[in-house]
Amino acid sequence: MQYETVIGLETHAQFHTRSKMFCGCKTDFGAPPNTQTCPVCQGLPGTLPVVNRTAVELGLRAALALRCHIAPVTQFDRKNYFYPDLPKNYQVSQNYHNLGVDGRLEIEVDGQTRKVGIWNVHLEEDAGKLEHPEDTGANYTAIDLNRAGTPLLEIVSAPDMRSADEANAYMNELAAILRHLGISDCKMQEGSLRFEAGISVRAVGGEEFGNRVEVKNLNSMSAVVKAIEHERHRQVAVLESGGTVPSQTMLWDVQREVTEPMRSKEEAKDYRYFPEPDLVPIEISPEWLDQVREQMSELPAVRRKRFIAELDLPPYDAGVIVEQKPIADYFEQTVEQGVEPKTAANWMMGEVMRVLNERQCEIDDLPVSPPMLAELIGLVTDDRISNSVGKTVFSEMCSSGKKAGEIVEEKGLAQISDSGELEAVVKQVLADHPDAVADLESGKQQAKGFLIGQIMRATRGKANPKLAGELIDRLTGD
Amino acid sequence: MPELIELSAGDLHRKLMAGDVTARQIVERYLDRIEQIDGRVGAFNTVTAEAALDKAADIDDRLDKGEAVGPLAGVPIALKDNLCTRGVPTTCSSRILEHFVPPYDATVVERLQRADAVLIGKTNLDEFAMGSTTEASAFATTANPWDLSRVPGGSSGGSAAAVAAGLAPLALGSDTGGSIRQPAAFCGVTGLKPTYGRVSRYGLIAYASSLDQIGTFSRDPRDAALLLEVIAGHDPRDSTSAQEPVPDYSAELEKDVAGVKVGLPREYLAEGIAPDVEAAVRAAADTCRGLGAEVIDISLPHTEYAVATYYIIGTAEASSNLARFDGIHYGRRAAGKMDVDELYSRSRSEGLGDEVKRRIMLGTFALSAGYYDAYYLKALKVRRLIKKDFDDALAGVDCILAPVAPTVAYKQGEMIDDPLALYLADIYTSATNLAGLPAIAFNAGTGEGGLPVGVQLMGRPFEESGLLRLAHAFREATDHHLARPNLTED
């Protein structure tokens, strides 16, 4: 029998706000334990929450970008459960009057566009973290409440995805939107973007959904993809052997790359949601929504289309560049300096991303501004320096913050485009490699590449390769 | 000079400002009286003698230098022990918070400090403000100063008893279903429950967030006005606190009451009310007429549902509010090594009393899957109907005169095994909290056993002024306030 996988995703994104959801504490990642806490986020008795208006506005941006119906009045609810990382033993979340409902996100897979329904977008507070000591004999667990109360956006999709590829496209598109709109930095390694997947299988063309397995502890997009594949195989095997898949909650084991059932005790939960009486309902006026709309930048899908249509970028390039807003902004600013878009795109996807990867930093951390990159690209396109020297110069710019022209000048890296100057070098290389010359003269063209390489080496990359080729042709009397 | 403990808060402050007395003399006199009498009354969980004397010294010092002092300078005040005080134990009269010392002050405490009131101690209550006799305290039983074999009412029984016994001229309490007004009535003092949102709840350890409101105890309405002026007003730390401006309650108090329309709800004078209480209410209505007020028969048709509605909403919120007392982050933790679920279970079993457990279980049930609509959601709907009863009635009258409790103060132990009977006795007070309205309870005579009988006036939201004015006029026209409990110092 042919099976199809049915996938819904719950996404938690930490907001990119300076302060927490219900108090003024900072939300910086990696601070020493319990240094970013106050009586409110510690859940001390008598304290009360106050809503972070910025978080509500960022949530509205997400709800608008995901084409949701916006609640005219939104309200917080309490989700009650006991866990030591949750100091009040209830989480302030939304259940009855979500910020946005009934939205959609368009994704593209294999050139096909699909709509994924968004059931709701809502606000909540994050929990703290339990730190289990490395010493396995230790008889304690430490609690760090720095993260407790960090604003979270939860986005619940409909079970509209049918493959791991579609889930992957959904996650990437969602992350691009959240980054573009300044809602979340979506740093999965810091836990600012987390997923839970609802996965079931059914016979292709079936009307009823299969029993749903909820997979938690998915800390990367690749984990989601692997978990979907794993669950698909596991569930199909159960059905093929005549069994039924139980509805249950599973945990993804990152090391072993398998799903494991959660203890049933942890699973059976009645959260006893009820309206949070310490907070008043929030009215979302049309005027407020208009203000939020005005603050929203172009959505990634729109931007990609514009790059393809107006800048003539290949769809692949547009996809890579638009994935991260700072990269896309940087690219556009470089193009504004007069650089040909495809050339700028090549630089962004090549050298710029390589350096960012190497240094594990953000583009805003580089001392190289878009006009500085444009100047460098200009030197290469004008044949003032070779492409390979250009790469060296870029690395140097990233280290020293100096301008390309300055570096080329200081280090004497300008391309040798003077045939007289280069001719002496070419003659010397030909004299040193008579075998290669003979090969070339007998028609082996790859020998020419070797000789150009030797010329580049002798000139430390400064030779104009086109001119060097011409000189070889002339001097070997080909 | 009259006895310091006989003076109102306002008079104490005026004497201090006139240089007739020092803050130190006032505070020492009160500390001495607490020393002499509180062994019998048991109003206080903690007496903050040292901090009170330091504060008095600071006030005297500033007065000597000619510096400004606040409007309550030199006036001792007792705080219900569910109001957070930085550095001073705040126990809610519960084992689970027995050694809890908050790192912060409640907003009302900050405001009192700024007004230069002198915090003299923390008073006993029914554990987590759940109860109406103060017998549900985990620590001690507070006695009614009028008859030490009787309860002071509750849950703010310690605050009411402290003011009645002359251990403090002012006290703060909290009222969720009558917890200020009922003990005020039982102890023959003035208890004001302001409009929901009038006073910040920040730092009040919550019982039921949508019903809790901090209010005042005093010997008379004039002192209530003085104290309310200090504690009322918007607080950015409490989203449910109102942006309404705070009137000059003391000035408003003096205005004429002639022509005021007073509603007398027939449902509050029906079955179940003791004859002495009914007589006091009717006599109070006559006094109001004598003052030029018009007394009008009104109806609050959903009154009979108030208690059930209150206990569903109140306990539902409480079940969530009290979840944080788990032995993990602060407060009492069960001894020994065990897994976290057992630690929760044992810490809470050992740390919480029977009445608190009863209400947590009731509230948990009301919010459970399958019961939410039938109980909690239904209660929210009835709450709206009850609110509408008051809106309709208060469109035709300025305020409502009613009994506070069906009887005078109970004997200690009399009601302890009958929680349901105690719940039902909240009939005249709990609807006010459901509607979020202000109400003031005050002494209106003597009932069975020579015990005080209180009545209450309820009013429109944020119209505390009108209630204070009529209560003040009532006091001026009667002499119930002259009676004192017979407590001789050793």
Side-chain angles (χ1 to χ4, degrees):
Chain A
M1 203 193 294
Q2 287 287 306
Y3 293 94
E4 70 174 357
T5 321
V6 176
I7 305 148
L9 289 173
E10 283 179 25
T11 308
H12 285 97
Q14 276 182 359
F15 280 110
H16 198 59
T17 50
R18 275 195 301 274
S19 57
K20 291 187 178 180
M21 189 70 224
F22 299 117
C23 63
C25 287
K26 287 199 283 187
T27 57
D28 299 345
F29 180 77
N34 297 308
T35 53
Q36 294 180 166
T37 65
C38 72
V40 175
C41 58
Q42 289 166 10
L44 289 190
T47 58
L48 297 169
V50 176
V51 173
N52 180 339
R53 196 179 154 95
T54 306
V56 177
E57 291 186 350
L58 293 180
L60 285 172
R61 285 188 197 179
L64 288 168
L66 295 169
R67 304 273 185 272
C68 289
H69 294 293
I70 308 294
V73 176
T74 191
Q75 203 173 346
F76 288 93
D77 299 299
R78 290 189 188 174
K79 178 180 182 176
N80 295 284
Y81 65 96
F82 279 77
Y83 205 68
D85 66 4
L86 191 66
K88 301 187 295 290
N89 287 321
Y90 60 80
Q91 180 192 30
V92 180
S93 178
Q94 297 194 290
N95 186 54
Y96 298 113
H97 299 282
N98 290 306
L99 194 62
V101 295
D102 293 338
R104 62 175 191 276
L105 177 63
E106 283 183 11
I107 55 169
E108 212 164 290
V109 179
D110 301 332
Q112 301 288 313
T113 302
R114 272 190 62 99
K115 277 181 193 163
V116 176
I118 302 293
W119 273 348
N120 71 68
V121 170
H122 66 258
L123 305 169
E124 59 186 32
E125 56 176 341
D126 210 341
K129 267 185 193 160
L130 300 185
E131 304 278 350
H132 303 285
E134 280 172 31
D135 171 10
T136 48
N139 63 348
Y140 67 91
T141 294
I143 303 174
D144 178 5
L145 293 179
N146 280 352
R147 199 179 69 176
T150 298
L152 283 184
L153 179 70
E154 181 168 347
I155 300 150
V156 183
S157 88
D160 285 351
M161 288 161 274
R162 294 291 176 267
S163 68
D165 280 351
E166 289 184 8
N168 198 32
Y170 171 87
M171 291 186 287
N172 278 299
E173 187 62 20
L174 193 56
I177 289 173
L178 297 178
R179 286 198 201 99
H180 253 75
L181 297 181
I183 294 166
S184 173
D185 56 20
C186 296
K187 289 180 183 165
M188 296 212 58
Q189 66 279 11
E190 293 180 6
S192 64
L193 188 66
R194 313 193 284 268
F195 297 97
E196 288 173 23
I199 306 163
S200 62
V201 296
R202 65 175 173 189
V204 170
E207 300 228 326
E208 302 279 303
F209 287 129
N211 283 342
R212 180 170 167 275
V213 169
E214 193 176 321
V215 184
K216 295 180 182 245
N217 197 34
L218 296 167
N219 293 323
S220 68
M221 293 189 196
S222 66
V224 176
V225 168
K226 284 175 186 166
I228 292 170
E229 288 299 334
H230 173 83
E231 270 301 308
R232 182 169 70 89
H233 286 116
R234 188 184 71 82
Q235 294 183 24
V236 166
V238 171
L239 295 178
E240 287 282 289
S241 64
T244 47
V245 177
S247 293
Q248 60 181 340
T249 304
M250 313 271 276
L251 289 180
W252 177 246
D253 184 326
V254 185
Q255 256 75 50
R256 296 170 48 228
E257 302 200 334
V258 294
T259 53
E260 293 279 3
M262 257 176 116
R263 286 187 297 146
S264 57
K265 198 171 160 191
E266 291 173 342
E267 206 191 317
K269 290 255 169 73
D270 174 1
Y271 291 120
R272 290 176 284 114
Y273 280 102
F274 74 104
E276 162 59 292
D278 285 331
L279 290 171
V280 290
I282 303 170
E283 220 176 291
I284 300 165
S285 67
E287 295 75 29
W288 192 14
L289 263 186
D290 284 344
Q291 276 174 27
V292 171
R293 273 196 200 94
E294 274 167 32
Q295 291 159 2
M296 283 170 66
S297 53
E298 190 179 28
L299 287 174
V302 177
R303 200 170 202 188
R304 267 195 300 270
K305 278 182 195 148
R306 185 164 60 79
F307 283 4
I308 295 166
E310 293 176 13
L311 302 180
D312 221 13
L313 281 195
Y316 173 81
D317 294 27
V320 173
I321 286 170
V322 170
E323 203 169 297
Q324 298 199 43
K325 184 167 185 286
I327 300 270
D329 291 345
Y330 195 101
F331 164 77
E332 276 209 274
Q333 286 161 23
T334 306
V335 170
E336 277 164 21
Q337 299 290 316
V339 179
E340 195 272 316
K342 175 59 186 161
T343 309
N346 288 344
W347 273 88
M348 295 303 298
M349 297 190 297
E351 284 314 288
V352 175
M353 288 193 184
R354 185 182 59 75
V355 168
L356 295 181
N357 242 326
E358 242 170 51
R359 300 181 176 216
Q360 286 293 305
C361 69
E362 305 296 322
I363 198 155
D364 297 337
D365 302 334
L366 289 185
V368 181
S369 65
M372 287 165 74
L373 177 63
E375 183 207 334
L376 171 63
I377 297 174
L379 291 178
V380 175
T381 47
D382 293 350
D383 279 343
R384 296 266 318 283
I385 56 175
S386 69
N387 208 37
S388 65
V389 169
K391 291 177 183 176
T392 315
V393 172
F394 182 70
S395 293
E396 177 66 27
M397 289 166 75
C398 292
S399 307
S400 67
K402 288 183 183 166
K403 289 184 170 180
E406 232 175 293
I407 295 168
V408 168
E409 181 92 1
E410 265 175 30
K411 305 212 162 175
L413 294 173
Q415 187 152 265
I416 307 171
S417 297
D418 177 90
S419 60
E421 191 184 342
L422 195 56
E423 195 170 320
V425 181
V426 175
K427 278 182 175 160
Q428 186 60 49
V429 167
L430 294 180
D432 289 348
H433 299 91
D435 294 352
V437 173
D439 284 350
L440 182 62
E441 284 174 345
S442 67
K444 290 182 184 164
Q445 280 298 310
Q446 61 265 47
K448 189 170 167 185
F450 170 78
L451 290 168
I452 290 177
Q454 294 304 313
I455 293 163
M456 297 306 280
R457 197 168 144 189
T459 57
R460 289 182 297 126
K462 294 190 294 181
N464 179 332
K466 197 167 153 243
L467 182 60
E470 282 166 16
L471 285 168
I472 292 170
D473 291 349
R474 185 153 59 79
L475 293 169
T476 54
D478 196 35
Chain B
M1 188 167 76
E3 242 286 55
L4 286 175
I5 59 145
E6 286 294 320
L7 293 177
S8 71
D11 286 343
L12 275 177
H13 177 68
R14 276 184 286 278
K15 291 241 178 261
L16 175 78
M17 298 310 283
D20 296 343
V21 66
T22 63
R24 186 184 176 84
Q25 285 171 324
I26 298 170
V27 171
E28 280 181 340
R29 177 68 189 95
Y30 271 96
L31 288 173
D32 180 52
R33 182 156 172 96
I34 291 169
E35 181 86 32
Q36 307 260 358
I37 291 200
D38 201 43
R40 279 170 275 165
V41 176
F44 286 90
N45 284 347
T46 308
V47 177
T48 51
E50 204 179 317
L53 288 168
D54 286 350
K55 179 75 180 181
D58 169 58
I59 292 164
D60 287 335
D61 193 39
R62 280 189 284 150
L63 285 171
D64 285 348
K65 289 184 194 154
E67 290 173 16
V69 292
L72 288 176
V75 180
I77 185 165
L79 303 176
K80 189 177 183 179
D81 207 10
N82 60 354
L83 293 166
C84 284
T85 39
R86 184 168 54 207
V88 178
T90 300
T91 69
C92 288
S93 290
S94 178
R95 291 275 170 232
I96 210 156
L97 287 181
E98 191 168 0
H99 303 294
F100 176 66
V101 180
Y104 74 99
D105 276 327
T107 296
V108 288
V109 175
E110 278 182 359
R111 290 186 179 185
L112 288 171
Q113 299 276 21
R114 233 180 297 145
D116 287 322
V118 181
L119 310 186
I120 202 163
K122 306 293 289 286
T123 59
N124 198 18
L125 62 148
D126 287 296
E127 185 176 2
F128 284 105
M130 296 179 184
S132 38
T133 64
T134 314
E135 292 170 296
S137 164
F139 305 140
T141 301
T142 300
N144 189 316
W146 295 83
D147 175 349
L148 297 177
S149 71
R150 289 184 186 259
V151 301
S155 65
S156 312
S159 286
V163 172
L167 309 180
L170 295 177
L172 289 187
S174 63
D175 190 317
T176 308
S179 279
I180 287 175
R181 289 162 288 157
Q182 185 256 26
F186 279 13
C187 291
V189 298
T190 301
L192 173 66
K193 174 228 171 284
T195 311
Y196 184 78
R198 178 72 292 181
V199 178
S200 168
R201 292 184 295 116
Y202 188 83
L204 165 66
I205 299 181
Y207 155 24
S209 311
S210 76
L211 301 163
D212 292 343
Q213 184 59 204
I214 295 171
T216 69
F217 287 95
S218 57
R219 288 209 198 102
D220 60 42
R222 196 195 292 274
D223 276 359
L226 184 66
L227 182 49
L228 185 60
E229 272 158 21
V230 168
I231 62 169
H234 178 68
D235 177 9
R237 289 177 296 190
D238 176 2
S239 312
T240 65
S241 76
Q243 300 273 2
E244 291 283 318
V246 179
D248 182 343
Y249 296 113
S250 298
E252 291 285 320
L253 195 80
E254 308 291 347
K255 292 187 181 166
D256 194 16
V257 297
V260 167
K261 288 180 181 166
V262 179
L264 201 57
R266 64 185 80 109
E267 292 83 1
Y268 282 56
L269 293 165
E271 211 180 327
I273 190 167
D276 52 349
V277 177
E278 183 174 353
V281 176
R282 297 208 182 274
D286 288 341
T287 304
C288 289
R289 280 189 203 96
L291 289 164
E294 187 185 346
V295 178
I296 300 165
D297 176 62
I298 61 163
S299 173
L300 296 167
H302 295 93
T303 297
E304 62 174 306
Y305 305 111
V307 169
T309 306
Y310 162 70
Y311 276 95
I312 288 170
I313 292 172
T315 59
E317 291 180 8
S319 71
S320 175
N321 283 333
L322 270 67
R324 70 186 68 196
F325 306 111
D326 61 3
I328 303 282
H329 297 266
Y330 47 80
R332 183 193 176 96
R333 176 186 291 190
K337 227 174 136 176
M338 64 201 89
D339 72 24
V340 70
D341 289 329
E342 196 185 343
L343 184 63
Y344 286 144
S345 171
R346 293 225 337 236
S347 299
R348 288 166 70 78
S349 297
E350 293 169 12
L352 300 174
D354 287 348
E355 182 57 31
V356 172
K357 286 177 192 160
R358 184 180 295 124
R359 294 197 194 193
I360 289 173
M361 286 189 279
L362 279 171
T364 303
F365 180 78
L367 290 176
S368 295
Y371 299 99
Y372 181 86
D373 288 4
Y375 292 101
Y376 185 75
L377 214 55
K378 179 64 102 5
L380 289 187
K381 288 175 186 163
V382 179
R383 182 179 190 169
R384 281 197 290 274
L385 293 175
I386 289 170
K387 172 96 172 60
K388 189 172 176 297
D389 278 359
F390 281 103
D391 290 346
D392 292 347
L394 289 165
V397 297
D398 298 303
C399 61
I400 295 167
L401 172 66
V404 178
T407 65
V408 294
Y410 320 118
K411 283 275 190 195
Q412 287 180 20
E414 184 183 344
M415 302 290 271
I416 214 155
D417 295 320
D418 197 350
L420 194 58
L422 268 186
Y423 290 1
L424 291 171
D426 291 340
I427 178 74
Y428 307 135
T429 46
S430 51
T432 330
N433 299 77
L434 291 167
L437 303 178
I440 188 168
F442 50 90
N443 192 0
T446 306
E448 189 200 311
L451 292 162
V453 180
V455 297
Q456 63 175 331
L457 293 168
M458 301 174 261
R460 299 184 198 107
F462 304 104
E463 292 191 4
E464 284 83 358
S465 293
L467 304 183
L468 287 161
R469 188 183 309 150
L470 188 53
H472 175 67
F474 180 91
R475 179 193 153 96
E476 299 288 288
T478 56
D479 53 13
H480 307 302
H481 60 276
L482 297 175
R484 287 277 183 280
N486 181 24
L487 284 168
T488 47
E489 294 179 28
D490 298 329

XYZ file of all heavy atoms in Angstrom, chain A residues 365-393:
211
model
N 28.813 42.362 12.362
C 30.047 42.365 13.148
C 31.278 42.613 12.262
O 32.360 42.897 12.782
C 30.243 41.021 13.873
C 29.074 40.695 14.789
O 28.407 41.649 15.244
O 28.822 39.498 15.028
N 31.135 42.446 10.931
C 32.292 42.636 10.038
C 32.617 44.124 9.928
O 31.722 44.952 9.847
C 31.989 42.112 8.639
C 31.900 40.595 8.444
C 31.715 40.285 6.964
C 33.129 39.890 8.989
N 33.929 44.442 9.885
C 34.291 45.864 9.730
C 34.189 46.328 8.274
O 34.613 47.438 7.958
C 35.737 45.897 10.242
C 36.270 44.542 9.995
C 35.108 43.584 10.054
N 33.644 45.480 7.433
C 33.554 45.810 6.001
C 32.134 46.265 5.672
O 31.185 45.493 5.844
C 33.912 44.577 5.139
C 33.848 44.921 3.662
C 35.280 44.044 5.519
N 31.988 47.511 5.260
C 30.655 48.015 4.924
C 30.329 47.691 3.471
O 31.234 47.380 2.680
C 30.626 49.526 5.137
O 31.513 50.134 4.215
N 29.061 47.764 3.081
C 28.719 47.509 1.680
C 29.497 48.391 0.693
O 29.984 47.863 -0.317
C 27.210 47.769 1.626
C 26.736 47.449 3.005
C 27.838 47.892 3.916
N 29.704 49.711 0.942
C 30.518 50.482 -0.007
C 31.951 49.945 -0.104
O 32.559 49.963 -1.184
C 30.515 51.895 0.584
C 29.294 51.955 1.445
C 29.099 50.573 1.965
N 32.487 49.435 1.002
C 33.840 48.884 0.968
C 33.894 47.623 0.116
O 34.841 47.397 -0.632
C 34.334 48.585 2.400
C 34.685 49.838 3.189
S 34.832 49.511 4.961
C 36.402 48.651 5.030
N 32.839 46.776 0.242
C 32.802 45.563 -0.586
C 32.655 45.950 -2.055
O 33.310 45.374 -2.934
C 31.640 44.662 -0.144
C 31.459 43.393 -0.990
C 32.674 42.475 -0.876
C 30.192 42.621 -0.592
N 31.808 46.972 -2.292
C 31.605 47.412 -3.677
C 32.920 47.889 -4.284
O 33.224 47.601 -5.445
C 30.553 48.525 -3.707
N 33.733 48.590 -3.505
C 35.024 49.071 -4.013
C 35.909 47.884 -4.397
O 36.535 47.862 -5.472
C 35.727 49.905 -2.927
C 37.048 50.518 -3.399
C 38.043 50.768 -2.262
O 37.599 50.940 -1.112
O 39.241 50.762 -2.540
N 35.916 46.851 -3.532
C 36.732 45.658 -3.785
C 36.279 44.961 -5.069
O 37.091 44.617 -5.933
C 36.630 44.707 -2.586
C 37.243 43.312 -2.771
C 38.744 43.405 -2.999
C 36.951 42.429 -1.571
N 34.947 44.794 -5.177
C 34.428 44.106 -6.368
C 34.790 44.917 -7.623
O 35.152 44.357 -8.656
C 32.896 43.889 -6.257
C 32.590 42.961 -5.068
C 32.330 43.305 -7.545
C 31.108 42.786 -4.759
N 34.759 46.253 -7.486
C 35.131 47.137 -8.602
C 36.566 46.883 -9.037
O 36.857 46.833 -10.253
N 37.481 46.710 -8.086
C 38.884 46.463 -8.412
C 39.029 45.174 -9.224
O 39.839 45.098 -10.155
C 39.731 46.366 -7.129
C 39.918 47.663 -6.338
C 40.724 47.408 -5.074
C 40.604 48.718 -7.196
N 38.225 44.157 -8.871
C 38.308 42.878 -9.580
C 37.714 43.010 -10.982
O 38.333 42.594 -11.971
C 37.591 41.761 -8.790
C 37.580 40.465 -9.583
C 38.255 41.551 -7.433
N 36.537 43.637 -11.054
C 35.880 43.705 -12.368
C 36.656 44.611 -13.327
O 36.622 44.431 -14.533
C 34.416 44.165 -12.274
O 34.363 45.304 -11.418
C 33.543 43.079 -11.693
N 37.380 45.578 -12.761
C 38.207 46.444 -13.623
C 39.566 45.830 -13.931
O 40.460 46.508 -14.447
C 38.427 47.805 -12.923
C 37.146 48.587 -12.793
O 36.142 48.166 -13.414
O 37.129 49.592 -12.058
N 39.741 44.553 -13.519
C 41.016 43.875 -13.763
C 42.192 44.499 -13.038
O 43.345 44.247 -13.403
C 41.332 43.815 -15.273
C 40.577 42.668 -15.919
O 40.114 41.769 -15.173
O 40.441 42.667 -17.157
N 41.915 45.319 -12.014
C 43.026 45.900 -11.271
C 43.666 44.821 -10.397
O 44.875 44.852 -10.173
C 42.529 47.045 -10.379
C 41.941 48.241 -11.181
C 42.981 49.315 -11.431
N 43.815 49.571 -10.271
C 43.432 50.288 -9.204
N 42.211 50.812 -9.165
N 44.255 50.476 -8.200
N 42.867 43.925 -9.898
C 43.418 42.769 -9.193
C 42.711 41.522 -9.702
O 41.615 41.608 -10.265
C 43.239 42.861 -7.647
C 41.759 43.039 -7.275
C 44.081 43.985 -7.063
C 41.500 43.018 -5.775
N 43.349 40.394 -9.483
C 42.736 39.153 -9.945
C 41.676 38.720 -8.938
O 41.639 39.205 -7.807
C 43.792 38.063 -10.070
O 44.238 37.696 -8.778
N 40.855 37.795 -9.382
C 39.806 37.274 -8.526
C 40.393 36.652 -7.257
O 39.907 36.871 -6.159
C 39.010 36.231 -9.310
C 37.584 36.140 -8.806
O 36.991 37.156 -8.440
N 37.057 34.945 -8.771
N 41.487 35.907 -7.426
C 42.044 35.226 -6.256
C 42.673 36.226 -5.306
O 42.565 36.089 -4.080
C 43.039 34.150 -6.670
O 44.149 34.756 -7.293
N 43.319 37.271 -5.841
C 43.854 38.315 -4.965
C 42.693 39.009 -4.252
O 42.764 39.335 -3.073
C 44.700 39.331 -5.756
C 45.032 40.550 -4.897
C 45.978 38.667 -6.221
N 41.590 39.185 -4.982
C 40.399 39.801 -4.396
C 39.971 39.080 -3.131
O 39.624 39.696 -2.123
N 40.008 37.742 -3.175
C 39.601 36.953 -2.002
C 40.560 37.209 -0.835
O 40.126 37.365 0.318
C 39.582 35.466 -2.352
C 38.458 35.130 -3.318
C 38.488 33.658 -3.722
C 37.385 33.393 -4.755
N 37.418 32.022 -5.264
N 41.862 37.260 -1.156
C 42.848 37.534 -0.106
C 42.607 38.911 0.499
O 42.649 39.110 1.721
C 44.268 37.488 -0.701
O 44.352 36.333 -1.537
C 45.320 37.429 0.379
N 42.349 39.869 -0.377
C 42.134 41.251 0.085
C 40.902 41.302 0.987
O 40.894 41.977 2.018
C 41.997 42.218 -1.114
C 41.581 43.611 -0.647
C 43.307 42.287 -1.884
